[in-house]
Amino acid sequence: VTGCYCETHVRGSVSLLYRLVFFNLPLLHSAAGVLLKVKSNVNRHLKERNTLPKIFAETVRRHGDKTALIFEGTGEKWSFRQLDEYSNRVANLLLQRGFVEGDVVALFMENRSQYVGLWLGMAKIGVEAALINFNLRLEALVHCVTISNAKAVVFGSELTEAVCEVHSSMGKTVQMLCSGDWDPKRVPAGTECLEPLLDAAPTHLPIRPDRCFTDRLFYIYTSGTTGMPKAAIVVHSRYYRMAALVYYGFGMTSDDVLYDCLPLYHSAGNIVGVGQCLIHGMTVVIKKKFSASRFWDDCAKYNCTIVQYIGEICRYLLNQPVKDIEGKHKVRMALGNGLRQSIWEEFTSRFNVLQIAEFYGATECNCSLGNFDNMTGACGFNSQILPFIYPIRLVKVDEETMELIRGPDGVCIPCGPGEPGQLVGRINQKDPLRRFDGYVNEGANSKKTANSVFKKGDTAYLSGDVLVMDQYGYMYFKDRTGDTFRWKGENVSTTEVEGTLSRLLDMKDVVVYGVEVPGAEGKAGMAAVADPERSTDLEKFGKDLEKALPPYARPVFLRFLKEVNKTGTYKFQKTDMRRDGFDPSMVSDKLYFLDPTRGRYVELHQELYSSIISGKQKL
């Protein structure tokens, strides 16, 4: 018997090894080729002390009269030469105004071509742009301007009201420049109109400062789902790395036309998207704001071959009525992150998009991933045969606190296939592909790094995200740290449950989170559903839920509201809803409870709430 077991075990091991080699070698060859290509280019730019403006100058030389940017809002087209001249005017105007290398200017405006020209012009003279979320107001807006030490704010006229609300809090030394429709009666006192100043500025290239590839380019702020936004530092090499990895990894060309409907204050829109224009000579169509109803019309009109998505955008597109135009486009690739596995194949088949270029990354991270071979549901791949080529890892964390779990030697414990863990990347400050540039507020850096992660004494970046890897090395996004909760002895992934519930509810916005119930171990699941028309059939939903989810993953509580708050990058904000809990006296929206004795959802009134809190009502 022992002999038979050993022989079978050996056969199984050989079979697994064969499959590992079979899957890993082609992917390893492809991924390694991309890494080597980008690394070689980065080393060259380092040696030549290049910067993004210098790289862009080479792009202008190659593609001068080609269309660089199209602003969908007006249809206006800028050639690479026009973008270059506009940014030169910006640089020369700031020099005339006394701005010097290392100064910061805040940029607070909605998407348009001028946005790109403004920060690019600043970069030409070493002035660093603080790219501020145009959805911010009051205290958060003031915080973002002040933490960057901005000496000026360039704002769009569409945001005049927001600027007026906080102008008195910014200090008299901050210069104010308004771009767009000019009305001197509406803007804060002392504000100047930007356009005539730029028209009068010279178009020649100013003398370049002595900047290098690892110097600061601009600041991008975190989404700020909890607390105040943090200003992440983006250096020139980081901008290049993020744009180049997706360009080479997903097989793009300079002939592609990219549809960018993402906010330009965010890395996905401004680096992954616009970066293809500035670095690789691609035409980029800039959309003022994402519109699900106009998405495919725009793509067809401008002959787009690549579209960008993030967060819930793909689900919003699937939720639109079917129309002829969605099959009459030239889009071959959808590029982004956050496409739920539950709708992946439905999206590709309905819209006939052959390639999903899903990637994992964050503005400040050093452990980006790419799904280079179109594997359904995966956000990336890392070789199981030669994992040291790309030093990233999934490490075990405490299921309750999400603290790193360490072995007897004090080093973090790596996860095996199928085991969820936090994604980490080893930091090497001498390597632009592995460095961590951190935040303007250095106090925030300590929360994103840890020591002795891969080996004793090293330092690694903590992504804050939980992923799971299969036996071949494909990585799948599971949850953000803190979003996973335990109920009835099982881990519940909010991301997975949200995807299932949204599909059952005709693609409605659904946010899932855990709430504490006195006397109960773990956290009970609660789902907030955006249903302004009250169209949900609770009885049908309850029956569908029984088939779709195991008992521990089914929400114990439901909350129906008009809309769900989202970040500017279409991610759900859960903090306030967690705080509200399921108390009917604290929540004005309709609440429901999954009654285990009846097997269906019943309205949660104050008497039932008291019964749950006291422990009389079983969960």
Side-chain angles (χ1 to χ4, degrees), residues 87-149:
S87 58
N88 284 346
R89 289 181 188 274
V90 173
N92 286 311
L93 172 62
L94 291 176
L95 285 175
Q96 291 171 357
R97 291 299 179 96
F99 286 86
V100 297
E101 178 185 353
D103 284 345
V104 178
V105 173
L107 195 51
F108 183 56
M109 61 198 304
E110 293 180 350
N111 285 9
R112 49 182 176 268
S113 301
Q114 287 82 355
Y115 193 104
V116 180
L118 284 164
W119 71 254
L120 180 61
M122 296 174 197
K124 286 184 174 182
I125 58 170
V127 170
E128 299 152 12
L131 310 182
I132 298 179
N133 182 336
F134 54 67
N135 296 296
L136 295 182
R137 297 294 183 271
L138 301 174
E139 185 183 0
L141 176 54
V142 174
H143 166 82
C144 289
V145 173
T146 31
I147 198 174
S148 68
N149 292 316

Side-chain angles (χ1 to χ4, degrees), residues 470-495:
D470 67 17
Q471 60 184 332
Y472 305 117
Y474 288 105
M475 301 274 199
Y476 300 83
F477 183 85
K478 190 171 179 63
D479 252 321
R480 305 222 170 267
T481 302
D483 278 356
T484 302
F485 60 89
R486 279 181 75 76
W487 183 241
K488 296 191 175 180
E490 300 283 351
N491 284 338
V492 180
S493 166
T494 61
T495 302

Side-chain angles (χ1 to χ4, degrees), residues 32 90 101 141 193 199 261 293 343 418 429 450 479 482 510 516 527 596 611:
V90 173
E101 178 185 353
L141 176 54
C193 183
D199 289 342
C261 60
S293 62
I343 61 170
Q429 291 300 107
D479 252 321
V510 179
E516 293 184 1
S611 183

Side-chain angles (χ1 to χ4, degrees), residues 120-196:
L120 180 61
M122 296 174 197
K124 286 184 174 182
I125 58 170
V127 170
E128 299 152 12
L131 310 182
I132 298 179
N133 182 336
F134 54 67
N135 296 296
L136 295 182
R137 297 294 183 271
L138 301 174
E139 185 183 0
L141 176 54
V142 174
H143 166 82
C144 289
V145 173
T146 31
I147 198 174
S148 68
N149 292 316
K151 292 187 175 181
V153 176
V154 178
F155 66 94
S157 57
E158 69 279 5
L159 297 170
T160 297
E161 186 177 338
V163 173
C164 287
E165 289 175 340
V166 299
H167 182 242
S168 60
S169 304
M170 287 187 185
K172 294 180 180 179
T173 56
V174 178
Q175 298 181 43
M176 307 297 290
L177 295 163
C178 178
S179 173
D181 296 333
W182 175 249
D183 184 350
K185 296 178 182 178
R186 293 182 60 235
V187 297
T191 300
E192 296 178 86
C193 183
L194 179 64
E195 276 68 33

Side-chain angles (χ1 to χ4, degrees), residues 60-72:
V60 175
R61 189 188 66 77
R62 295 196 314 269
H63 301 286
D65 295 323
K66 179 184 174 182
T67 299
L69 300 174
I70 302 173
F71 179 49
E72 185 278 331

Side-chain angles (χ1 to χ4, degrees), residues 20 57 178 280 286 308 350 377 399 421 446 490 511 550 565 611:
L20 278 172
C178 178
H280 300 117
I286 294 175
Q308 282 192 275
R350 173 174 164 179
E399 294 169 343
S446 60
E490 300 283 351
V511 180
N565 289 332
S611 183

Side-chain angles (χ1 to χ4, degrees), residues 487-488 524-527 554-558 592-595 601 619:
W487 183 241
K488 296 191 175 180
M526 186 164 184
R554 297 170 198 159
V556 177
F557 303 102
L558 296 178
Y592 293 87
F593 166 68
L594 183 56
D595 189 336
Y601 285 99
L619 299 181

Side-chain angles (χ1 to χ4, degrees), residues 10-268:
V10 169
R11 284 176 185 164
S13 299
V14 171
S15 175
L16 176 60
L17 180 61
Y18 173 79
R19 290 198 302 272
L20 278 172
V21 172
F22 179 80
F23 273 91
N24 270 246
L25 284 183
L27 283 169
L28 180 59
H29 181 267
S30 173
V34 172
L35 277 173
L36 289 173
K37 173 71 173 177
V38 174
K39 193 174 181 66
S40 172
N41 288 349
V42 165
N43 287 337
R44 175 172 60 84
H45 291 312
L46 275 171
K47 185 178 179 181
E48 296 174 1
R49 294 182 63 82
N50 284 334
T51 59
L52 193 70
K54 287 183 181 178
I55 295 171
F56 175 66
E58 179 60 25
T59 306
V60 175
R61 189 188 66 77
R62 295 196 314 269
H63 301 286
D65 295 323
K66 179 184 174 182
T67 299
L69 300 174
I70 302 173
F71 179 49
E72 185 278 331
T74 61
E76 183 181 17
K77 298 180 180 181
W78 283 12
S79 68
F80 281 91
R81 190 164 286 109
Q82 286 174 306
L83 175 58
D84 188 40
E85 290 178 355
Y86 181 90
S87 58
N88 284 346
R89 289 181 188 274
V90 173
N92 286 311
L93 172 62
L94 291 176
L95 285 175
Q96 291 171 357
R97 291 299 179 96
F99 286 86
V100 297
E101 178 185 353
D103 284 345
V104 178
V105 173
L107 195 51
F108 183 56
M109 61 198 304
E110 293 180 350
N111 285 9
R112 49 182 176 268
S113 301
Q114 287 82 355
Y115 193 104
V116 180
L118 284 164
W119 71 254
L120 180 61
M122 296 174 197
K124 286 184 174 182
I125 58 170
V127 170
E128 299 152 12
L131 310 182
I132 298 179
N133 182 336
F134 54 67
N135 296 296
L136 295 182
R137 297 294 183 271
L138 301 174
E139 185 183 0
L141 176 54
V142 174
H143 166 82
C144 289
V145 173
T146 31
I147 198 174
S148 68
N149 292 316
K151 292 187 175 181
V153 176
V154 178
F155 66 94
S157 57
E158 69 279 5
L159 297 170
T160 297
E161 186 177 338
V163 173
C164 287
E165 289 175 340
V166 299
H167 182 242
S168 60
S169 304
M170 287 187 185
K172 294 180 180 179
T173 56
V174 178
Q175 298 181 43
M176 307 297 290
L177 295 163
C178 178
S179 173
D181 296 333
W182 175 249
D183 184 350
K185 296 178 182 178
R186 293 182 60 235
V187 297
T191 300
E192 296 178 86
C193 183
L194 179 64
E195 276 68 33
L197 298 175
L198 288 178
D199 289 342
T203 60
H204 68 264
L205 178 68
I207 297 174
R208 289 190 178 114
D210 186 25
R211 305 282 274 186
C212 69
F213 208 40
T214 52
D215 280 331
R216 295 184 182 191
L217 175 60
F218 54 52
Y219 307 103
I220 285 181
Y221 293 80
T222 58
S223 300
T225 51
T226 58
M228 287 293 182
K230 295 178 294 186
I233 299 167
V234 177
V235 299
H236 294 260
S237 61
R238 176 169 292 273
Y239 189 104
Y240 177 84
R241 173 179 69 84
M242 292 177 72
L245 281 172
V246 298
Y247 180 83
Y248 294 111
F250 294 118
M252 302 177 186
T253 74
S254 61
D255 293 328
D256 279 311
V257 179
L258 186 143
Y259 182 66
D260 188 349
C261 60
L262 307 180
L264 296 183
Y265 60 74
H266 188 259
S267 55

